[in-house]
Amino acid sequence: MPKDNGAVKAPIANKHHPGEKLVPTHCSYCGMQCGMNLRVNTATNTIIGVEPRYDWPVTLGKMCPKGVTAYQQTNHGDRLMTPLIRDDRSLRGTKEGFRQASWEEAYDLIVRKFKSLQDSYGRDALSVFSGVSMTNEKCYLTGKFARVGLQTRYIDYNGRFCMSSAAAGFLRTFGIDRGSTLPWTDLNETDCLFIAGSNTAECHPTSMFRIWEVQNRGGYLIVVDPRETPIARRADVHLDLRPGTDLALANCMVNLLLAGGYADEAFIGAHTNGIEELAETVKLFTPEYTSEITGVAPEKLIRAAELYGKAPNAVVMFARGIEQQHKGSDNVSAYTNMCLVTGKIGRPKSGVATFTGQGNGQGGREHGQKADALPGYRKIANPKHVEDVARVWGIRPDEMPQPGVSAYEMFELMTNKTIRSLYLLCSNPAVSAPNLNEVRAALMSLDFMVCSDIYLSESAEFADVVLPSTTWSEDEGTVTNLEGRIIKINKAQEPVGQSKPDWLMQVELAERLGRGDYFRHLTSARAINDEFRLASKGGYADYFGATWEKIDRQQGVFWPCKDEKDPGTPHMFLDKTFYHPDGKAKLCALPYRPPAEEPCEQYPLRLTTGRVVYHYLSGNQTRRIPFLHAMCPEPFVEVHPETAAKYGIAHEELVRLHTRRGEARFKVKLTEAIRPDTVFVPYHFGHDDSVNLLTIAALDPMSRMPEFKACAAQIERIAMASQSSPAQTGGFR
Ligand SMILES: Nc1nc2c(c(=O)[nH]1)N[C@H]1C(S)=C(S)[C@@H](COP(=O)(O)OP(=O)(O)OC[C@H]3O[C@@H](n4cnc5c(=O)[nH]c(N)nc54)[C@H](O)[C@@H]3O)O[C@H]1N2
Ligand SMILES: Nc1nc2c(c(=O)[nH]1)N[C@H]1C(S)=C(S)[C@@H](COP(=O)(O)OP(=O)(O)OC[C@H]3O[C@@H](n4cnc5c(=O)[nH]c(N)nc54)[C@H](O)[C@@H]3O)O[C@H]1N2
Ligand code: SF4
Ligand SMILES: [Mo]
């Protein structure tokens, strides 16, 4: 039994309830993938509740408010039970006009439309936009479905808004992108945690017992966040920077580490490239200069560098706070420089980790849903990689479509009619994409749209055909958690109504599109797993040896796992070999750039966006759960009392936020836990309540990640605003 560091003291046996069985699995939501047992009534074969899995080594029985209510999704009254078709296109952008249809009718319509659009406008008239709340098997098949089934180049996914900067940064620095270089069970045993841009207590709550344990053992916690989040409140040093200024702060840390005698010269010399240029670049970032940019007091910067530098073992961690910037991938490489110059990487209890967001945010980015990538983290730009995958798929290499474009850029291509049709699955971009007025207009401009979801989402309102998918509890497969550990999701109940797993829809559609030869053999999640492990074999993200049996036997398998004998790789880089051709890691010299949009007279505040513990992403799942809705029924804007006084606004008053792209109304939440120059809004709400009506689509040049975390905004009392120019509408309702 692994050591327990939190409130749960000893392994607790799960109670046996008569007439029930427990199905061990993992939560449907975030990258923590907490172990849970679904309680199933054996007479009705339905899910009726949940119990923690105390024996799951990562989370030891802990779950958050979303996890304990996740089971309520499966038999929820809002589930889509049959395919829906809408004949009257004038009703698009609303919930109205859908009628129930059979699968045959829905498939016939889809196939007819797809074929005629491709006949008229070429194969690339179709596009696929997917998400990573799906298993590896489904993510893999979605990539294959786009490229072999639909034969289009246009596929991308919601991880572009989530993990793409972490991925690009790690690839540049290490030559490989595994989100964590060490298992979570190491975290509580380190001496210093440096956590930037992560609201860990709300977004990865079941990591907290390990983080508190570091402090309980006399170690240190440093938090970089413009807001005093629950974790920042308990930090030894809270670096409360202006949103969008991390690159300066990270450079300052490296400067202070080098100047303070904390550099590991031997490690730098033997295992890295680029120290001269890095040292030259960071020199400029003295505590005083950095303080001017970031607004963080110089003493705090010095103290943070000292604590990290002195710690025998330390882990640098970050999340979307630093990654969702138009220089997110630079921020990732810049913070990772801290580990490399001090040699605190490639050994137990030291390293770097990003808090992967979605349940399968890691696996989902490795197996071909990205515009330019193929299974095993291969690249379409590399002819050898294309050959490897083409062989497994049974196509000629020259039949492999070229790379497409990133998620936001796909919407731009819809607007200009390059892309005519969208097959959307497992994502709700009408809420979660940036600059929503444009994105909603892009969806409206489509000639034909299909949406697969478990509920009628805000995005489904734009569709011509809606397909009912299964929830995670009605199918099986594997997911890769935030450690890089491949785990098993088990089926607890038969699909409700006529809902089907996404992989089955794709296999059946491929058949009707005349592409059945490539898909017909994939008759189960297991069969897909066999093919996908083979397709990943020899790639960077090699899953070949991670069989379902081994996953069960070992409580998960860390990739890379090359073959049957290989137990997997919990710790990366133990032999100090990185994945660039010369085996060295790259120290990246990255000059500071300000956010794409800086405050000005008209838009004097910085708007940043993110999450609350009670809701998940676009909120399409969690807004329907009574307890979660009761705890957080509507969005709000966090405003510092000083700022509120300046604008004459009060707690709970309704205000209007404006940016150059749009406006929306929110209730004010007065709090001293935010910088006076910054306001924060959670983005889990739809229609006119979406803060993404305001956000900017400034894209990172490497990762194509939008700058969700910083734009310039104005706040107005509604009473005053009503006297000014007429309100722009919040897009389509
Ligand atoms: N409850 C809940 N948990 C979730 C999710 C959810 O929707 N709800 N989603 C999951 C997913 S997909 C993801 S990606 C993760 C996201 O997990 P996090 O990244 O932790 O969540 P966010 O709220 O987006 O942002 C984190 C923090 O970044 C701070 N921040 C804003 N701007 C900046 C900046 O410029 N610099 C720095 N250093 N910090 C900044 C914000 O104040 C916020 O506290 O959470 C996962 N877990
Ligand atoms: N302003 C702002 N915007 C953001 C962010 C931010 O911090 N600020 N964060 C970004 C991040 S990190 C992320 S990850 C994105 C996420 O944004 P989205 O991709 O919109 O995330 P979800 O709400 O999870 O959407 C998943 C949809 O799929 C459905 N679904 C669940 N399981 C399945 C399944 O198995 N099959 C099918 N077909 N459907 C299923 C759900 O009901 C839901 O409607 O949002 C991004 N947007
Ligand atoms: S922390 Fe994440 S995985 Fe765990 S219960 Fe909460 S939402 Fe689910
Ligand atoms: Mo995410």
Side-chain angles (χ1 to χ4, degrees):
M1 190 61 207
K3 196 169 121 203
D4 188 321
N5 303 292
V8 178
K9 281 297 168 231
I12 300 173
N14 284 104
K15 217 162 89 201
H16 179 75
H17 304 270
E20 289 180 21
K21 67 175 180 184
L22 293 178
V23 177
T25 188
H26 299 270
C27 177
S28 60
Y29 299 121
C30 84
M32 288 301 301
Q33 286 297 291
C34 299
M36 59 163 64
N37 289 297
L38 288 173
R39 289 171 56 193
V40 176
N41 178 318
T42 44
T44 57
N45 275 318
T46 49
I47 295 168
I48 51 166
V50 67
E51 284 202 6
R53 250 172 97 179
Y54 297 105
D55 63 347
W56 182 247
V58 189
T59 48
L60 298 175
K62 290 167 179 67
M63 292 201 295
C64 84
K66 292 181 301 306
V68 295
T69 50
Y71 76 92
Q72 294 174 10
Q73 295 175 86
T74 311
N75 298 302
H76 195 287
D78 291 351
R79 282 291 299 280
L80 294 168
M81 301 298 241
T82 69
L84 302 174
I85 291 179
R86 177 161 50 199
D87 303 303
D88 181 354
R89 297 203 90 225
S90 72
L91 293 171
R92 279 178 314 136
T94 74
K95 287 190 175 65
E96 309 305 319
F98 288 111
R99 63 175 171 84
Q100 296 194 343
S102 67
W103 278 103
E104 278 315 314
E105 189 186 1
Y107 283 155
D108 282 350
L109 179 61
I110 294 170
V111 168
R112 189 153 43 81
K113 289 283 183 186
F114 279 0
K115 280 188 168 164
S116 89
L117 287 169
Q118 283 188 319
D119 284 347
S120 307
Y121 304 106
R123 284 176 179 165
D124 295 336
L126 307 187
S127 66
V128 175
F129 190 111
S130 61
V132 291
S133 282
M134 299 192 297
T135 57
N136 286 312
E137 289 71 18
K138 289 174 189 160
C139 291
Y140 162 79
L141 199 72
T142 300
K144 179 176 174 182
F145 177 71
R147 297 190 175 103
V148 181
L150 301 178
Q151 299 174 281
T152 177
R153 69 196 292 176
Y154 291 122
I155 169 167
D156 210 51
Y157 78 123
N158 66 3
R160 186 68 67 177
F161 300 154
C162 183
M163 301 313 297
S164 63
S165 287
F170 286 146
L171 283 171
R172 172 173 52 187
T173 297
F174 297 135
I176 193 166
D177 158 37
R178 203 186 80 181
S180 178
T181 65
L182 72 184
W184 242 235
T185 44
D186 271 23
L187 292 181
N188 41 294
E189 300 191 359
T190 192
D191 305 302
C192 178
L193 288 168
F194 183 103
I195 303 186
S198 154
N199 182 2
T200 322
E202 295 202 66
C203 297
H204 297 86
T206 54
S207 291
M208 291 312 297
F209 71 105
R210 297 189 188 278
I211 294 173
W212 300 150
E213 173 76 4
V214 171
Q215 286 186 311
N216 294 346
R217 287 178 35 256
Y220 296 98
L221 171 64
I222 300 155
V223 170
V224 190
D225 199 302
R227 300 188 304 140
E228 196 185 45
T229 57
I231 184 174
R233 203 145 55 230
R234 277 273 302 265
D236 296 286
V237 186
H238 174 202
L239 305 173
D240 50 345
L241 82 179
R242 292 190 183 106
T245 62
D246 290 87
L247 194 46
L249 192 146
N251 280 344
C252 176
M253 287 298 118
V254 174
N255 185 21
L256 291 169
L257 290 169
L258 293 177
Y262 301 112
D264 182 339
E265 307 289 351
F267 181 94
I268 293 173
H271 306 299
T272 69
N273 286 314
I275 185 65
E276 291 80 16
E277 208 190 330
L278 174 65
E280 193 53 41
T281 303
V282 298
K283 234 193 256 162
L284 176 66
F285 295 87
T286 61
E288 293 69 28
Y289 178 62
T290 307
S291 176
E292 278 171 36
I293 298 175
T294 60
V296 180
E299 314 78 73
K300 291 210 273 183
L301 295 167
I302 294 167
R303 173 94 175 122
E306 243 174 42
L307 290 179
Y308 177 83
K310 281 188 181 151
N313 283 303
V315 184
V316 171
M317 306 181 81
F318 36 77
R320 302 313 82 72
I322 72 141
E323 296 164 19
Q324 289 172 331
Q325 300 181 18
H326 84 314
K327 51 181 178 298
S329 46
D330 284 2
N331 290 339
V332 167
S333 291
Y335 277 120
T336 306
N337 283 338
M338 292 173 63
C339 314
L340 290 168
V341 298
T342 55
K344 287 177 187 163
I345 190 155
R347 58 178 202 237
K349 303 177 201 177
S350 281
V352 60
T354 183
F355 287 93
T356 290
Q358 297 174 81
N360 198 19
Q362 176 80 55
R365 70 182 188 257
E366 299 161 356
H367 300 296
Q369 295 197 100
K370 267 187 179 169
D372 60 346
L374 293 172
Y377 235 128
R378 291 182 173 89
K379 288 283 188 195
I380 298 181
N382 181 327
K384 166 80 172 69
H385 290 187
V386 170
E387 247 173 57
D388 289 345
V389 175
R391 198 176 318 115
V392 177
W393 285 353
I395 60 171
R396 293 194 317 271
D398 65 326
E399 289 177 295
M400 186 71 79
Q402 291 299 303
V405 299
S406 77
Y408 187 79
E409 292 164 300
M410 287 217 302
F411 295 117
E412 292 175 333
L413 294 188
M414 292 173 204
T415 304
N416 78 17
K417 292 285 199 181
T418 305
I419 291 176
R420 295 279 173 159
S421 180
L422 167 66
Y423 180 100
L424 174 70
L425 67 157
C426 203
S427 180
N428 190 8
V431 176
S432 57
N435 194 9
L436 277 185
N437 283 318
E438 293 297 323
V439 167
R440 291 175 186 175
L443 296 176
M444 278 303 269
S445 73
L446 288 166
D447 292 6
F448 182 67
M449 175 174 158
V450 180
C451 174
S452 161
D453 204 299
I454 57 181
Y455 304 121
L456 194 78
S457 67
E458 286 80 2
S459 302
E461 292 173 19
F462 293 84
D464 298 283
V465 180
V466 179
L467 302 175
S469 153
T470 47
T471 62
W472 97 115
S473 57
E474 297 158 299
D475 190 24
E476 63 177 346
T478 62
V479 154
T480 309
N481 78 355
L482 81 180
E483 306 168 287
R485 187 194 301 247
I486 308 159
I487 58 179
K488 181 80 200 311
I489 301 295
N490 290 312
K491 178 171 171 175
Q493 184 188 305
E494 287 304 317
V496 301
Q498 295 178 28
S499 64
K500 289 186 188 191
D502 289 282
W503 63 262
L504 184 56
M505 299 180 211
Q506 291 169 5
V507 169
E508 291 177 345
L509 273 170
E511 189 70 54
R512 288 162 176 80
L513 285 160
R515 306 292 287 171
D517 289 354
Y518 305 95
F519 292 87
R520 203 169 295 131
H521 58 290
L522 301 171
T523 52
S524 65
R526 178 73 189 228
I528 300 170
N529 178 267
D530 286 341
E531 184 179 291
F532 127 72
R533 282 188 297 109
L534 191 65
S536 79
K537 187 174 161 62
Y540 296 110
D542 193 331
Y543 281 46
F544 185 65
T547 58
W548 287 9
E549 289 70 27
K550 196 186 286 179
I551 292 172
D552 279 345
R553 204 165 58 233
Q554 294 187 181
Q555 295 195 297
V557 177
F558 289 80
W559 72 262
C561 178
K562 294 187 185 320
D563 54 39
E564 189 47 49
K565 283 197 221 95
D566 182 354
T569 316
H571 293 91
M572 295 293 285
F573 318 132
L574 279 182
D575 60 358
K576 310 286 186 287
T577 307
F578 298 93
Y579 282 68
H580 288 305
D582 62 0
K584 295 185 177 184
K586 179 153 178 48
L587 289 166
C588 302
L590 301 158
Y592 176 70
R593 288 178 284 138
E597 195 176 63
E598 285 278 66
C600 60
E601 208 177 311
Q602 198 186 354
Y603 300 103
L605 295 168
R606 287 173 198 257
L607 167 65
T608 190
T609 63
R611 299 158 163 78
V612 297
V613 69
Y614 297 110
H615 286 294
Y616 190 64
L617 303 179
S618 75
N620 187 38
Q621 289 162 275
T622 49
R623 278 183 271 126
R624 298 173 200 271
I625 305 293
F627 172 71
L628 302 176
H629 172 76
M631 296 307 288
C632 183
E634 58 186 4
F636 52 82
V637 51
E638 286 186 5
V639 182
H640 193 278
E642 267 176 36
T643 316
K646 195 160 140 197
Y647 293 91
I649 54 184
H651 187 53
E652 303 230 315
E653 179 176 341
L654 203 60
V655 293
R656 199 189 307 271
L657 278 189
H658 283 266
T659 66
R660 289 190 175 83
R661 293 150 297 281
E663 57 177 65
R665 297 166 181 219
F666 301 104
K667 232 182 216 172
V668 171
K669 181 172 162 189
L670 281 195
T671 170
E672 287 179 353
I674 191 160
R675 295 177 55 91
D677 57 8
T678 301
V679 292
F680 167 87
V681 183
Y683 83 100
H684 313 289
F685 301 86
H687 301 126
D688 286 356
D689 289 340
S690 295
V691 71
N692 276 323
L693 292 164
L694 280 65
T695 49
I696 187 168
L699 304 185
D700 179 305
M702 263 180 89
S703 67
R704 316 309 282 163
M705 165 74 84
E707 190 149 60
F708 288 117
K709 287 295 187 265
C711 69
Q714 169 65 291
I715 195 165
E716 270 181 337
R717 302 192 64 191
I718 298 283
M720 283 168 57
S722 62
Q723 293 158 23
S724 64
S725 59
Q728 199 181 320
T729 69
F732 305 93
R733 300 209 52 157

